[in-house]
Amino acid sequence: MVFKIGLLGLGTVGTGVVEILSNPEGRHPLLSELSLHRVGVRSLSKPRSVNIPEDMLTTDLEAIVIDPAIDIVVELIGGLEPARSLILQAIENGKHIVTANKAVISRYGSEIFDAANKKGVYVMLEAAVGGGIPVIQPLKQSLGANRIQTVTGIINGTTNYILTRMKNEGADFSEVLADAQRLGYAEADPTADIDGLDAGDKIAILASLAFGGRIKLEQVYCEGIRKVTATDITYAEKLGFVIKLLAIASRSPQATPEQDLLSVRVHPTLVTLSHPLASINDVYNAILVEGEPIGQVMFFGRGAGSGPTASAVVSDILNIVAVLQMQEAEVVNPIIPHEMMNCTHQHYCKIAPMEDLVTRFYTRFLTKDSPGVIGKLGTCFGQHHVSIESIVQTGFHENLAEIVVVTHDVLEGNFNQALSEIKGFDEIDSIPSILRVL
Ligand SMILES: NC(=O)C1=CN([C@@H]2O[C@H](COP(=O)(O)OP(=O)(O)OC[C@H]3O[C@@H](n4cnc5c(N)ncnc54)[C@H](OP(=O)(O)O)[C@@H]3O)[C@@H](O)[C@H]2O)C=CC1
Ligand SMILES: N[C@@H](CC=O)C(=O)O
Ligand code: NA
């Protein structure tokens, strides 16, 4: 039997999907069971790099999601609306969904999965996190036997590309961002990438899968890379670190057997050069999962771009088709969702406030060059139980002394209290950078 695909969106990822579907040779044999039925776009006159028969293209996306001939709707338009409504309407019409839209899933996942479970259809989203890297299905299936402790990822290709080029070439932020947009890595509105929101959407999805509950996106702390400067990249290097935008979901040390508690956050982070994530560069993503009994396992690959992301989309389509074929052969009716493929989480995970986070900090101060300032900083941190690993004067900037402090693991709340006191010192001119250290 041939399964008909309704494709919403023919941009970077949609085009990659059509390229795979129209060149099935040497790939999985189930590809020959797929047929592209309709393709929805915004503009019919836009030049396309793939050949689509004129009568297959439409700007009426609603007609696609209600078309009785279509089995699987592939949503690749991005953004919140009309994507959310089209997905819900498609589900209502009994279509299975494949989407790369982390923004919609992280905000409306509950609504979408409830509707899908009710209707007995699948919603697959491998492309939504880590682009082509298989990480959603492994978390759902292959790692199911583990108690996950931490998921740490570089999950935004655009910012990793920018940080890599800033470090290697001393390149200018805006020039590199324009390249990332040209290469199709950035979101339609690249502030989602730069401000850590895209990584926030993705870590919310990963945390939900890893820790078995829903995540309220507004509780995910997101800090982007706007404030990362060439100076900090250079200091970090001298101290044996590289700066990466990390997304981290972990069980909080304050969790108890009665009350599970997570920490879910995105922020630029100093990563020691020997750490497995330190060498993940350019558009590559990597997700390091730590669990019991597996220990560490890392997923690595291209996190954005046409072909890699399309690879994940088409694999999701194949997974659905494989199950549909099996059900057809066994004449299972109505459809009983495959336990390892659907989402059944009902409760919300409790997320700890950032004040309770235990982490190391790197902080750069510009101070008047007066005697005793280093001692004064050290004393203040000590009074707030912030233990210092190193405190060094690194140089002068226009008559101001530059002092870099690296702490041991400290409670973020204590660190913030010390900083607010330090900001009031006469000697302090400014605190240009505060970054967490892994
Ligand atoms: N690019 C990447 O590397 C990755 C992207 N993703 C996700 O994949 C999804 C698609 O991204 P990408 O391919 O880059 O996006 P693009 O902007 O390149 O493509 C969007 C496509 O959707 C169509 N479209 C957008 N809005 C509408 C609308 N309201 N009505 C009809 N058509 C519409 C556009 O039509 P037209 O062509 O006529 O303008 C275009 O074909 C997003 O959710 C994104 O977050 C996920 C992983 C990686
Ligand atoms: N804009 C995203 C695209 C993939 O999700 C990124 O840069 O990672
Ligand atoms: Na993926």
Side-chain angles (χ1 to χ4, degrees), residues 102 127-128 131 155-159 185-187 193 198 202 285 303-304:
K102 55 267 163 166
I155 48 178
N156 182 267
T158 302
T159 45
Y185 302 158
E187 294 303 302
D193 298 295
D198 175 77
K202 292 168 176 170
N285 283 193

Side-chain angles (χ1 to χ4, degrees), residues 111-253:
E111 187 184 17
I112 290 170
F113 285 109
D114 283 350
N117 289 341
K118 212 164 118 197
K119 204 74 194 176
V121 297
Y122 295 110
V123 177
M124 304 292 279
L125 52 131
E126 184 59 78
V129 184
I133 307 171
V135 62
I136 301 284
Q137 285 308 106
L139 276 173
K140 275 198 217 167
Q141 300 184 346
S142 331
L143 292 174
N146 290 272
R147 272 191 212 105
I148 307 291
Q149 284 133 358
T150 312
V151 178
T152 311
I154 294 175
I155 48 178
N156 182 267
T158 302
T159 45
N160 202 40
Y161 177 80
I162 293 173
L163 289 173
T164 304
R165 287 198 48 199
M166 282 173 76
K167 175 179 169 288
N168 292 350
E169 304 162 31
D172 175 63
F173 183 94
S174 46
E175 177 195 320
V176 189
L177 172 60
D179 283 347
Q181 288 176 289
R182 193 178 39 77
L183 289 162
Y185 302 158
E187 294 303 302
D189 175 2
T191 53
D193 298 295
I194 305 306
D195 292 332
L197 307 175
D198 175 77
D201 293 346
K202 292 168 176 170
I203 195 68
I205 293 171
L206 292 182
S208 175
L209 292 167
F211 299 106
R214 293 174 173 176
I215 303 287
K216 291 198 172 122
L217 194 61
E218 61 274 17
Q219 295 180 341
V220 176
Y221 174 83
C222 288
E223 186 186 319
I225 64 162
R226 273 181 212 278
K227 287 191 250 161
V228 176
T229 63
T231 311
D232 294 311
I233 291 175
T234 308
Y235 281 142
E237 209 172 353
K238 281 187 188 151
L239 292 166
F241 296 103
V242 60
I243 300 178
K244 294 288 181 192
L245 184 71
L246 292 192
I248 305 171
S250 56
R251 274 190 209 285
S252 163

Side-chain angles (χ1 to χ4, degrees), residues 6-36:
L7 178 62
L8 311 180
L10 189 58
T12 303
V13 185
T15 301
V17 168
V18 173
E19 275 166 3
I20 297 176
L21 294 181
S22 41
N23 290 289
E25 303 77 26
R27 309 185 206 271
H28 197 285
L30 266 184
L31 272 171
S32 60
E33 312 277 317
L34 304 178
S35 130
L36 191 59

Side-chain angles (χ1 to χ4, degrees), residues 361-437:
F361 280 96
Y362 155 101
T363 312
R364 188 160 58 87
F365 298 89
L366 289 176
T367 76
K368 289 178 192 149
D369 189 25
S370 39
V373 63
I374 287 188
K376 217 168 150 183
L377 286 175
T379 304
C380 182
F381 276 129
Q383 281 165 348
H384 288 279
H385 312 287
V386 173
S387 158
I388 290 176
E389 184 185 290
S390 72
I391 180 163
V392 281
Q393 181 167 341
T394 47
F396 281 97
H397 276 282
E398 295 161 2
N399 295 332
L400 292 171
E402 190 171 52
I403 295 170
V404 169
V405 172
V406 179
T407 72
H408 286 294
D409 264 341
V410 299
L411 198 61
E412 181 147 336
N414 288 346
F415 178 82
N416 287 341
Q417 280 179 14
L419 269 197
S420 61
E421 203 171 302
I422 288 168
K423 278 179 190 154
F425 291 177
D426 284 345
E427 296 87 343
I428 298 294
D429 174 83
S430 58
I431 309 177
S433 336
I434 305 165
L435 295 167
R436 294 174 188 80
V437 181

